[in-house]
Amino acid sequence: LKLRLEYKLAYKRQRISTKMSGDMNAVEQLHLALQQSFSPDASLRDPAEESIKHLKFVPGSTQMLMHIIGEQQVQKEVRQAAAIQLKNLVRECWIERTSYFDGLAIPNDDSESPKPPLLSQEDKDVVKTKMVDCLLNEPEKSVRDLMAETLHCIAVHDFPDKWPQLIPYLLEAISKSNDPSQALRVHNALLALRKVCKRYEYKSREARGPLNEIVISSFPLLLPLAQRLSGPCEHSLEAAMMLKQILKIFWSSTQFFLPTGNNTDGTVSTTPSPALANPSAMEPWFEVLKSVLVKPLPEASTGLEPANQPTSKEEREAWPWWKVKKWAAQIMTRLFSRYGSPEYAESEVKDFAKYFSQNVASSFLGPVCETLNLRPSGQFCTDRVVHLCLNFVDLAVELAATYKLLKPHMDFLLYKVCFPAMCLSAKDIEEFENDPHEFVRRQNCPLADFYDPRMSAIKLVNSAVKWRGQDTMQPLLAFLTEILQRYNSTETGRNHIEKDCALLTFGSISDSLLKKKKFATELEGMMVTSVFPDFNSPVGFLRCRACWMIQHFSTMQWSDDGTHLQGLIQMVLQRLSDPALPVQIEASKALRYLIEVDGAEITLLPVLPQILSEYFRIMNEIGNDEVVAALQVIIDKFGEHIEPHAIALVTQLSTAFKNYIDAGEEDDDAAMAAAQCLECINTVLKGTCERPELYKGMEAELVPLILKVLGSDGEYLEYIEFALDTLTFLTYFPLQISPQLWEAFSLMFVAFDGYAFDYIMLMVPPLNNFIFKDPQCFLNSVANLPDGQMRYLEMIFVIVQRTLCEDRSSESEQRKALTLYMSVLHNCTGQVDHVLTAINDVALAKLGQQANAAKSNTRHVIFQVIGSCMYYNPELEIKELENRAVTQQVFAQWLNEIDTMDDWLSQKLSVLGLLSVIRLPASSLPQHLANMIPNIITSTVNLATKMKADAENGQAEDGAGHIEAEDDDDDQEWEGFDEDQDVVDCNDEAYMSVLSKLSAGGVGGDMAQFLVGGDWDDLDDEDDFHSPIDNIDELHFVNDILKEAYAREPEIYQQVQAALPPVVVASCQQLFNAADASRS
């Protein structure tokens, strides 16, 4: 069979090669196929696509593609198609692709199609040589970007070891920058250099050796070029494009670490690189950044240089000179955030941080503020540049040296820069009225913090009030109050946009205002006179703002008899059916805050069905996760009143979920709302868990939903976490598990085996529930998988073994997986003798790895497994240990660690497991184990005594103690930092502390790992493990086992008792008395 398969694959490759060499043996044939691949005629397009698909099997295909790409006379779309194919070939055929399973790298094996061959070394050498030349000469941006990405793919595998000539070749091209005829090659060489640098951008300090070498060799060449291009005489677009690439290279090289030198062996040195070794070396780069930011960019109508600035906003955003300013502002802001506070800087760059905070930050402030003055003075500035400059000023507010310079200009910044940036634009109002869905999407976009000047303006206003309140709070409140009074005092010609922005500002600083009792009266008056009337305003966006204000001032204390609160709730309820969709959204979000207010329940409870109906109507109109989150809060708050509506709620939420996922992957809002629907379903399940009989009526909706998420080959991976939570509810609370729900068992295994390995922590609880609820069904069930039949019991063992063998598994994930062994042993008593060998193979191997580990968490779980084996069948387990000659070693370590076990499960299974030795006749035990009986009794009695005391203390603590309310008098009086003080923020300190540890290798040393989060290794949760041993009283167990042993072998245990310390004998008697008392 193997020979036949190999023959078929060889024949297929030969047939493909023959076809390509016969039908496409020339570049012209390939050109024709690429051209026809985007033909609207399917009879031409399909054969062309089929031929192109098999290019990977044709020797020399990369060279043919290179030839087509390099021919400037060829149609642009054909060259683009060739560049795409080349990129795909490089990605697929440069090195052998591997998957990582069982801790080993195993080549992908797809028996359905021939495995693509790797490119020959000759092809690789030709590609690397020709592609760089082709890239340097490429004028078309789309083709150039594709080739640069291909270069990056090759560099990932070959640079620097197998491609040492790349950087010298690029630098040689850059060195000809003084020759105007070489401008294109220089720019493209800079683009290629940036792609190589970007590979190391997020690497740890230890892995940045090649980047350090690039900095050492390239920056002396790049700096003079950047100085010339940023000078007053350079106005060409080519200059801007080259300067942009240089700044991007600088960004990639410095945004996380200042480059250091390398040792002679290539390892990273602690010595700074010559290019960035000290502040004086950095100063020229700082001057470049300032020159770029202050460079005038006149309107095209003036005829001044740089000429021909576009007039449309979209074209200006993409104009190279504005792009250069964006990168300069971004680098300035990044440097300030990393080095503006020396006390937070890592030790290696503390001197540089001191220099930066004392000299550079203040020198950047002038160009930044000059840029922010463009819009107030009637000139244009892109949103992105304004956003970054406002972020810089926000940082400058916190540093005393820069705040002193800012202080005289705070009125200008707050009222002339921030306030206009926060106002609704004409585009906002047009969308509100004519495209409300897009308005809602933009207003709730989670990425707005990274590009929207409105968000950075709000942040700056908030920082000014929070940190420098003694200088800014009162003037700002006077400014805002004047706007509201002016609006209220006029009937015609009102400035609705100005009022909206004033309310937005009030809401943005609500945290600071609500902390001050002195503002309580003014705030209540502002709400009654300026917000309440807007609930019925004819201006839609003011009604929307009124609902938004409630979200920020819901905790405000009202001085009346409750009339204001009741009226406010009624107004919000009315806005749920507002004709404008954005108002409905904000009203639904506002209600989640109002229901937390004392007294709100009286008004809301009678109309709860109508409220739920309105929420589902809005959800059917638009996918918005915050609306669903608000519904979830309502369900959680009124949990005891939700039961009559529970099935209808779940049905509606399930329908909404299906509608949202049908919207497609491109609709991010719908995807987030879909996830929120599942979370809301889980809230309903939580609220009705004391009535599990209700779950039966919900399963008709929930089971298909769970099976859809788990059984779609990863298509709905983003929802699997919530689906597994739902599955946990449905398998834990009902007394029985339905046959339909059992289908999820094998789907979980398939998901784990294929794409959801990282969700093991969430899979284990429902798997344990399946085993616990119906052990016989578990033992007897077999699933038909793609690779054949597999028993459910076997699936459990595969899951545990693979989790423990995978390098990427965390220790907490491995511990969680081991509890599946315990479920099998506790629930299948006397029926799984044959699996003890496999369990011991895995558990003892892991114990050997963990023998000297500093943390004992994993060892304790392994002893839980061994204790479970002992409790299941002590005779068989001792035989397993004896077969491996590790009995004495395992028990000695177990007894040695028993005093360090603080968690209840480890303690209980140690008592049950160790004392199970005594269930066997002493004469049947190995002598070395029989000799340990006094130590076993001593340890288990002491542990049981400790568990009894802990239980009694826990009960006492449950009924005592309360938390004193914190005194907030300091907050009432505090007005922020003085101008001579740097702002000290505990959140910043924690963040920078982590960054410092990262730099020192304390968090693993990899920036990417830090960004996605570390290993929460100590967060084990034993509360979600349940089994029949929960019903075993350890006091009764100790009492019964010891008495039975004494009655069975009195002479032996008289000798054992004589060997016990008197305090242990006394403790035994106390435990016996406690057991007898509890039984009576």
Side-chain angles (χ1 to χ4, degrees):
L1 180 62
K2 183 177 179 183
L3 287 172
R4 286 167 59 193
L5 178 60
E6 290 179 350
Y7 174 78
K8 287 177 66 177
L9 293 178
Y11 173 75
K12 189 172 183 179
R13 290 192 186 101
Q14 182 181 8
R15 182 164 54 85
I16 292 169
S17 180
T18 302
K19 175 177 171 57
M20 294 295 297
S21 60
D23 297 341
M24 298 180 63
N25 57 357
V27 174
E28 287 80 4
Q29 292 290 337
L30 177 55
H31 172 273
L32 181 62
L34 291 168
Q35 191 175 46
Q36 293 177 343
S37 66
F38 44 85
S39 169
D41 186 348
S43 64
L44 297 176
R45 184 180 64 252
D46 293 345
E49 290 178 347
E50 185 66 21
S51 297
I52 292 170
K53 187 187 301 183
H54 298 301
L55 268 176
K56 66 188 78 171
F57 300 107
V58 180
S61 58
T62 54
Q63 299 182 41
M64 288 193 291
L65 290 168
M66 290 296 310
H67 186 82
I68 294 173
I69 296 169
E71 285 293 335
Q72 299 297 325
Q73 297 86 353
V74 173
Q75 183 183 355
K76 181 182 75 172
E77 289 76 12
V78 174
R79 295 173 62 235
Q80 288 175 339
I84 291 171
Q85 293 305 318
L86 179 64
K87 183 185 73 170
N88 293 340
L89 274 177
V90 166
R91 281 184 169 172
E92 191 171 357
C93 303
W94 200 266
I95 64 167
E96 186 169 7
R97 305 178 75 183
T98 58
S99 63
Y100 291 86
F101 230 113
D102 296 331
L104 301 173
I106 304 173
N108 285 335
D109 184 15
D110 185 359
S111 59
E112 297 296 323
S113 59
K115 186 169 65 175
L118 299 180
L119 294 177
S120 67
Q121 191 59 48
E122 178 186 358
D123 276 348
K124 290 181 180 180
D125 292 340
V126 171
V127 168
K128 286 192 288 190
T129 302
K130 288 189 175 181
M131 190 195 60
V132 176
D133 274 331
C134 198
L135 170 59
L136 296 188
N137 294 309
E138 180 54 57
E140 177 58 45
K141 183 181 185 302
S142 59
V143 178
R144 182 171 65 217
D145 290 345
L146 285 166
M147 297 193 67
E149 191 57 39
T150 305
L151 181 143
H152 177 264
C153 295
I154 299 173
V156 166
H157 302 301
D158 282 18
F159 181 82
D161 296 336
K162 298 177 183 178
W163 205 0
Q165 69 274 25
L166 174 60
I167 298 302
Y169 190 80
L170 296 177
L171 295 182
E172 181 184 358
I174 296 170
S175 68
K176 299 176 181 177
S177 59
N178 289 322
D179 183 352
S181 67
Q182 297 294 308
L184 178 63
R185 287 180 61 84
V186 172
H187 170 268
N188 293 354
L190 290 168
L191 171 64
L193 183 61
R194 185 351 173 63
K195 288 294 182 181
V196 179
C197 293
K198 190 172 177 63
R199 181 197 166 194
Y200 300 95
E201 187 170 330
Y202 297 99
K203 294 290 186 182
S204 65
R205 191 189 299 276
E206 293 72 23
R208 294 166 71 91
L211 180 60
N212 294 334
E213 291 294 337
I214 292 174
V215 169
I216 293 171
S217 60
S218 68
F219 273 38
L221 186 63
L222 298 181
L223 177 58
L225 178 56
Q227 290 171 321
R228 176 168 67 81
L229 296 174
S230 61
C233 299
E234 287 285 353
H235 303 298
S236 67
L237 293 183
E238 292 80 8
M241 293 169 66
M242 286 188 278
L243 187 53
K244 182 184 75 170
Q245 294 300 336
I246 293 174
L247 294 184
K248 291 171 77 172
I249 292 168
F250 185 89
W251 167 265
S252 292
S253 303
T254 62
Q255 76 146 321
F256 286 118
F257 300 99
L258 292 179
T260 61
N262 288 339
N263 297 317
T264 54
D265 61 357
T267 58
V268 175
S269 168
T270 56
T271 305
S273 71
L276 301 175
N278 52 60
S280 62
M282 287 285 280
E283 197 62 49
W285 285 103
F286 299 152
E287 293 299 323
V288 168
L289 298 174
K290 290 186 284 187
S291 298
V292 168
L293 204 55
V294 299
K295 185 179 182 70
L297 299 180
E299 295 292 333
S301 59
T302 65
L304 300 175
E305 295 286 353
N308 302 317
Q309 179 174 180
T311 55
S312 74
K313 182 178 178 181
E314 292 74 17
E315 290 178 317
R316 291 191 194 219
E317 295 276 0
W319 200 45
W321 280 113
W322 281 117
K323 287 284 190 180
V324 172
K325 283 181 178 285
K326 186 268 286 190
W327 279 102
Q330 183 168 310
I331 292 170
M332 286 178 168
T333 305
R334 181 61 178 174
L335 289 170
F336 201 164
S337 68
R338 288 301 308 274
Y339 308 111
S341 300
E343 63 269 25
Y344 299 147
E346 52 265 38
S347 58
E348 294 85 352
V349 294
K350 203 167 276 291
D351 291 340
F352 173 79
K354 290 178 181 177
Y355 176 85
F356 184 92
S357 62
Q358 295 169 6
N359 302 281
V360 182
S362 55
S363 73
F364 281 173
L365 205 53
V368 168
C369 289
E370 188 176 329
T371 302
L372 289 174
N373 188 43
L374 290 173
R375 287 186 176 182
S377 61
Q379 301 177 66
F380 177 81
C381 187
T382 64
D383 285 349
R384 190 76 173 95
V385 172
V386 172
H387 168 78
L388 290 164
C389 288
L390 286 173
N391 284 347
F392 185 94
V393 175
D394 182 56
L395 294 167
V397 166
E398 299 187 21
L399 185 65
T402 48
Y403 179 67
K404 287 180 182 179
L405 298 174
L406 281 176
K407 184 177 176 181
H409 309 288
M410 287 304 294
D411 286 356
F412 165 77
L413 288 167
L414 293 178
Y415 312 140
K416 299 297 184 183
V417 178
C418 291
F419 193 82
M422 294 164 63
C423 285
L424 290 171
S425 67
K427 179 182 177 182
D428 293 329
I429 296 173
E430 193 276 332
E431 282 185 347
F432 183 97
E433 296 173 349
N434 300 316
D435 191 358
H437 287 77
E438 177 61 17
F439 179 87
V440 171
R441 187 199 66 78
R442 286 204 305 113
Q443 295 296 315
N444 295 276
C445 178
L447 298 178
D449 286 346
F450 300 100
Y451 66 83
D452 189 350
R454 178 179 290 127
M455 302 307 297
S456 53
I458 291 172
K459 187 170 183 287
L460 174 55
V461 171
N462 204 9
S463 295
V465 169
K466 181 178 181 180
W467 304 127
R468 308 295 181 180
Q470 55 189 326
D471 300 324
T472 60
M473 176 74 87
Q474 290 297 346
L476 178 62
L477 293 181
F479 172 78
L480 299 175
T481 302
E482 181 185 356
I483 292 174
L484 297 182
Q485 290 175 346
R486 183 166 61 246
Y487 185 90
N488 293 335
S489 63
T490 58
E491 294 295 332
T492 59
R494 288 175 166 179
N495 190 332
H496 307 304
I497 294 175
E498 187 180 53
K499 179 183 181 180
D500 175 83
C501 191
L503 294 178
L504 170 62
T505 308
F506 268 116
S508 299
I509 60 172
S510 59
D511 286 345
S512 297
L513 293 174
L514 290 170
K515 288 179 180 178
K516 313 292 183 185
K517 291 180 181 178
K518 64 182 181 181
F519 294 133
T521 302
E522 289 83 353
L523 288 176
E524 185 173 3
M526 182 267 294
M527 292 293 290
V528 172
T529 60
S530 295
V531 176
F532 282 20
D534 283 348
F535 278 99
N536 297 305
S537 170
V539 181
F541 61 79
L542 285 180
R543 299 197 303 273
C544 189
R545 183 63 64 198
C547 295
W548 180 88
M549 285 288 285
I550 301 309
Q551 300 167 41
H552 292 269
F553 289 98
S554 62
T555 59
M556 190 175 66
Q557 300 297 314
W558 301 96
S559 60
D560 67 339
D561 58 359
T563 303
H564 284 155
L565 176 61
Q566 300 305 318
L568 183 59
I569 293 173
Q570 291 295 343
M571 288 186 287
V572 172
L573 290 175
Q574 291 172 9
R575 290 308 109 210
L576 284 175
S577 55
D578 192 277
L581 177 63
V583 181
Q584 299 173 27
I585 299 293
E586 293 303 325
S588 65
K589 290 157 60 177
L591 205 55
R592 70 178 290 185
Y593 295 94
L594 286 177
I595 64 172
E596 302 291 347
V597 180
D598 291 340
E601 186 174 344
I602 299 173
T603 304
L604 294 173
L605 196 54
V607 292
L608 181 59
Q610 293 91 325
I611 292 174
L612 297 176
S613 177
E614 286 295 327
Y615 270 87
F616 283 115
R617 182 188 58 76
I618 296 171
M619 288 166 57
N620 288 331
E621 174 74 16
I622 187 172
N624 185 280
D625 63 304
E626 292 193 62
V627 174
V628 187
L631 176 61
Q632 181 180 349
V633 173
I634 294 173
I635 293 171
D636 196 33
K637 177 70 175 179
F638 297 119
E640 59 189 39
H641 304 284
I642 288 296
E643 288 182 4
H645 314 286
I647 295 176
L649 276 171
V650 167
T651 301
Q652 293 269 24
L653 288 165
S654 299
T655 302
F657 172 79
K658 295 168 189 172
N659 292 336
Y660 291 153
I661 63 175
D662 288 342
E665 296 180 359
E666 290 74 20
D667 192 339
D668 292 338
D669 291 338
M672 294 172 66
Q676 200 70 55
C677 281
L678 295 184
E679 192 167 356
C680 198
I681 287 172
N682 291 334
T683 302
V684 176
L685 294 175
K686 175 185 174 184
T688 55
C689 65
E690 294 183 1
R691 294 271 314 277
E693 65 274 13
L694 292 174
Y695 284 17
K696 201 69 180 172
M698 303 178 195
E699 281 196 6
E701 292 290 339
L702 295 182
V703 173
L705 185 151
I706 293 170
L707 300 182
K708 183 180 184 70
V709 173
L710 292 177
S712 299
D713 198 25
E715 182 180 355
Y716 302 118
L717 181 62
E718 62 267 42
Y719 309 120
I720 193 170
E721 176 181 348
F722 305 104
L724 289 171
D725 284 342
T726 305
L727 183 60
T728 301
F729 275 109
L730 296 181
T731 53
Y732 180 77
F733 288 102
L735 296 177
Q736 294 180 324
I737 298 176
S738 65
Q740 294 79 14
L741 198 56
W742 269 99
E743 294 179 33
F745 194 104
S746 58
L747 290 180
M748 269 194 289
F749 172 77
V750 172
F752 170 87
D753 192 37
Y755 61 88
F757 178 90
D758 294 328
Y759 291 88
I760 181 65
M761 298 287 282
L762 295 171
M763 290 183 179
V764 168
L767 288 172
N768 281 331
N769 293 341
F770 276 115
I771 301 170
F772 176 70
K773 285 295 172 66
D774 196 342
Q776 292 308 312
C777 182
F778 163 70
L779 290 175
N780 296 332
S781 294
V782 179
N784 292 313
L785 303 181
D787 295 330
Q789 289 190 333
M790 182 180 287
R791 304 182 71 84
Y792 283 10
L793 177 61
E794 186 181 352
M795 293 179 193
I796 292 295
F797 278 73
V798 171
I799 289 173
V800 178
Q801 186 169 5
R802 289 185 177 174
T803 303
L804 266 68
C805 291
E806 272 277 7
D807 290 338
R808 59 186 168 131
S809 301
S810 68
E811 289 295 325
S812 57
E813 289 172 332
Q814 295 182 26
R815 291 194 293 270
K816 180 68 77 172
L818 284 168
T819 64
L820 292 171
Y821 281 163
M822 292 152 54
S823 275
V824 172
L825 293 167
H826 297 174
N827 291 285
C828 306
T829 305
Q831 303 179 76
V832 288
D833 293 1
H834 60 288
V835 304
L836 281 185
T837 299
I839 292 176
N840 278 276
D841 285 341
V842 174
L844 294 176
K846 187 64 181 177
L847 182 61
Q849 296 173 8
Q850 290 285 315
N852 299 313
K855 291 184 177 181
S856 58
N857 309 49
T858 302
R859 285 198 303 276
H860 290 177
V861 174
I862 295 169
F863 286 127
Q864 291 176 21
V865 174
I866 297 173
S868 300
C869 291
M870 288 293 300
Y871 181 74
Y872 173 85
N873 190 321
E875 183 178 2
L876 286 179
E877 176 59 13
I878 291 172
K879 185 181 295 184
E880 290 291 339
L881 297 176
E882 282 293 290
N883 290 341
R884 295 168 174 80
V886 295
T887 308
Q888 188 170 5
Q889 180 183 353
V890 168
F891 275 85
Q893 187 168 5
W894 195 353
L895 293 170
N896 187 52
E897 294 208 16
I898 201 168
D899 291 336
T900 67
M901 295 179 180
D902 296 324
D903 62 289
W904 173 86
L905 193 57
S906 293
Q907 292 174 347
K908 183 160 190 171
L909 284 170
S910 290
V911 171
L912 301 185
L914 286 169
L915 275 185
S916 290
V917 172
I918 302 174
R919 289 160 58 190
L920 302 176
S923 58
S924 67
L925 297 175
Q927 188 59 46
H928 49 262
L929 186 55
N931 294 338
M932 300 175 75
I933 288 178
N935 290 336
I936 290 173
I937 293 176
T938 298
S939 294
T940 52
V941 166
N942 289 339
L943 185 55
T945 302
K946 180 178 182 296
M947 293 177 70
K948 176 176 176 293
D950 289 345
E952 293 170 351
N953 291 337
Q955 291 174 358
E957 290 173 2
D958 287 343
H962 63 277
I963 300 175
E964 294 286 346
E966 293 186 9
D967 187 2
D968 61 354
D969 286 344
D970 290 342
D971 283 342
Q972 293 293 329
E973 301 298 329
W974 191 67
E975 297 288 352
F977 293 90
D978 294 331
E979 66 174 34
D980 294 323
Q981 294 177 301
D982 290 339
V983 170
V984 178
D985 185 359
C986 59
N987 293 327
D988 288 346
E989 287 181 331
Y991 173 73
M992 295 307 296
S993 173
V994 173
L995 277 184
S996 297
K997 291 178 181 178
L998 176 74
S999 301
V1003 190
D1006 194 312
M1007 181 58 65
Q1009 179 183 353
F1010 166 69
L1011 292 174
V1012 300
D1015 176 21
W1016 298 80
D1017 192 47
D1018 295 325
L1019 298 182
D1020 287 340
D1021 185 5
E1022 62 182 35
D1023 292 339
D1024 59 9
F1025 180 79
H1026 301 276
S1027 80
I1029 69 162
D1030 296 344
N1031 300 320
I1032 299 173
D1033 188 313
E1034 56 273 8
L1035 292 183
H1036 296 170
F1037 186 81
V1038 172
N1039 176 79
D1040 296 346
I1041 293 297
L1042 289 178
K1043 288 181 177 178
E1044 287 172 6
Y1046 196 92
R1048 185 182 64 240
E1049 300 171 283
E1051 295 182 2
I1052 293 177
Y1053 280 94
Q1054 284 178 353
Q1055 297 174 11
V1056 169
Q1057 180 176 339
L1060 296 176
V1063 66
V1064 174
V1065 176
S1067 296
C1068 278
Q1069 192 57 53
Q1070 292 173 0
L1071 291 178
F1072 295 161
N1073 295 338
D1076 293 339
S1078 69
R1079 276 178 169 152
S1080 64

